């Protein structure tokens, strides 16, 4: 089985721009979660989607949004980029997203905001 | 709310020596516990998990961890490390569905 894929792997944007990141889960997985990883804040949960519905959301401003498509692929969008949004954005998929299911992580998208 | 504290930010260790990475958690509900490893420029890979049953959990690459409910700890151990174990290690808890809470991470550097 192919693993979780994320595109693009690297991205450079300037302040004020917006960005869209994509995540394709493992085949058959219906839950997709997004995490932000920074040296200062560590790994922080952004949101989780299952069957196109957001089931949980972390403490991020409304500039961060996401969606999931019927094929379980997910995108996250960050509008009006700030320097502090520079981070590694990780996507994880699991079969159902419940507590006992292992989450499989993709390699991440490294976003640099200049 | 739940939180995870990894007590060591950096752990230098010589090759073939044992290593222990400490993790404490706090939660008002029962939790599931995980250890992940992150190699440079890669995503996270699951090393092991505790869901229930035996408190000693064995994982991949020779790692094991012990769940201690009274001390709210889930320490990770390996009896003999290799250069290839150089990586960042994250302890995580799942106290509710659809979300993992991670510790700050422990960087393990294995020296020859």
């Amino acid at each position: 089985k192919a693993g979780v894929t994320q595109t693009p792997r690297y991205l450079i944007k300037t302040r004020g721009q917006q960005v869209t990141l994509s995540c394709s889960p493992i085949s058959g997985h219906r839950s997709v979660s997004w995490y932000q990883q920074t040296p200062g804040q560590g790994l922080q949960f952004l949101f989780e989607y299952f069957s196109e519905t957001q089931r949980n959301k972390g403490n991020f401003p409304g500039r961060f949004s996401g969606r999931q498509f019927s094929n379980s692929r997910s995108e996250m969008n960050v509008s009006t980029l700030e320097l502090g949004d520079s981070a590694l954005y990780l996507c994880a998929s699991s079969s159902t997203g419940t507590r006992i299911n292992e989450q499989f992580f993709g390699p991440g998208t490294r976003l640099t905001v200049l | 709310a739940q939180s995870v504290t990894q007590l060591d930010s950096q752990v230098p260790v010589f090759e073939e020596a044992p290593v222990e990475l400490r993790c404490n958690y706090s939660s008002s509900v029962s939790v599931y516990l995980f250890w992940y490893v992150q190699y440079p420029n890669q995503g996270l890979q699951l090393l092991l998990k505790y869901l229930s049953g035996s408190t000693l959990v064995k994982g991949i690459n020779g790692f094991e961890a012990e769940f201690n409910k009274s001390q709210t700890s889930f320490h990770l151990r390996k009896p003999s490390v290799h250069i290839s174990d150089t990586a960042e290690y994250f302890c995580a808890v799942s106290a509710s569905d659809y979300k993992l809470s991670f510790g700050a991470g422990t960087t393990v550097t294995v020296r020859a």
Side-chain angles (χ1 to χ4, degrees):
Chain A
K1 260 188 187 178
V4 178
T5 57
Q6 293 187 246
T7 57
R9 290 293 310 278
Y10 301 90
L11 207 48
I12 299 176
K13 292 287 187 179
T14 56
R15 279 180 298 173
Q17 287 186 310
Q18 74 166 16
V19 67
T20 299
L21 312 182
S22 180
C23 171
S24 293
I26 291 172
S27 177
H29 284 189
R30 297 170 64 190
S31 166
V32 174
S33 300
W34 289 90
Y35 295 84
Q36 182 196 63
Q37 185 178 21
T38 60
Q41 299 297 319
L43 279 153
Q44 293 188 288
F45 172 76
L46 281 156
F47 26 64
E48 188 264 359
Y49 288 88
F50 181 86
S51 292
E52 303 177 66
T53 299
Q54 185 183 90
R55 297 191 297 190
N56 202 354
K57 189 178 189 304
N59 296 324
F60 280 81
R63 300 186 296 107
F64 291 82
S65 63
R67 60 177 176 169
Q68 186 181 35
F69 302 94
S70 57
N71 62 358
S72 294
R73 190 177 71 85
S74 176
E75 290 181 346
M76 67 163 281
N77 183 277
V78 188
S79 62
T80 320
L81 284 166
E82 300 177 359
L83 295 179
D85 297 332
S86 294
L88 181 67
Y89 290 88
L90 292 166
C91 164
S93 77
S94 75
S95 55
T96 66
T98 54
R99 294 171 60 187
I100 64 171
N101 287 151
E102 177 182 348
Q103 291 196 22
F104 294 83
F105 284 80
T109 295
R110 181 152 316 266
L111 171 65
T112 302
V113 181
L114 302 176
Chain B
Q2 62 283 337
S3 66
V4 183
T5 303
Q6 291 185 240
L7 297 163
D8 309 288
S9 59
Q10 310 251 2
V11 174
V13 58
F14 286 106
E15 194 174 18
E16 298 184 8
V19 70
E20 178 180 77
L21 309 184
R22 298 177 293 167
C23 172
N24 286 97
Y25 69 92
S26 66
S27 176
S28 56
V29 299
S30 63
V31 297
Y32 298 145
L33 296 153
F34 307 81
W35 274 99
Y36 283 86
V37 60
Q38 185 177 33
Y39 299 104
N41 299 314
Q42 295 188 27
L44 277 68
Q45 179 183 7
L46 182 70
L47 281 175
L48 48 78
K49 60 185 176 184
Y50 172 78
L51 304 180
S52 64
S54 172
T55 57
L56 183 63
V57 180
K58 294 193 181 298
I60 63 170
N61 301 340
F63 285 94
E64 64 180 32
E66 185 151 20
F67 170 61
N68 188 318
K69 188 175 181 179
S70 62
Q71 297 187 5
T72 60
S73 67
F74 190 53
H75 300 335
L76 180 71
R77 302 185 185 96
K78 185 169 182 177
S80 175
V81 296
H82 304 290
I83 298 288
S84 59
D85 292 321
T86 294
E88 191 159 17
Y89 293 79
F90 294 93
C91 181
V93 300
S94 176
S96 62
D97 281 339
Y98 327 138
K99 171 184 175 180
L100 283 174
S101 297
F102 288 89
T106 298
T107 300
V108 173
T109 304
V110 182
R111 304 167 180 169

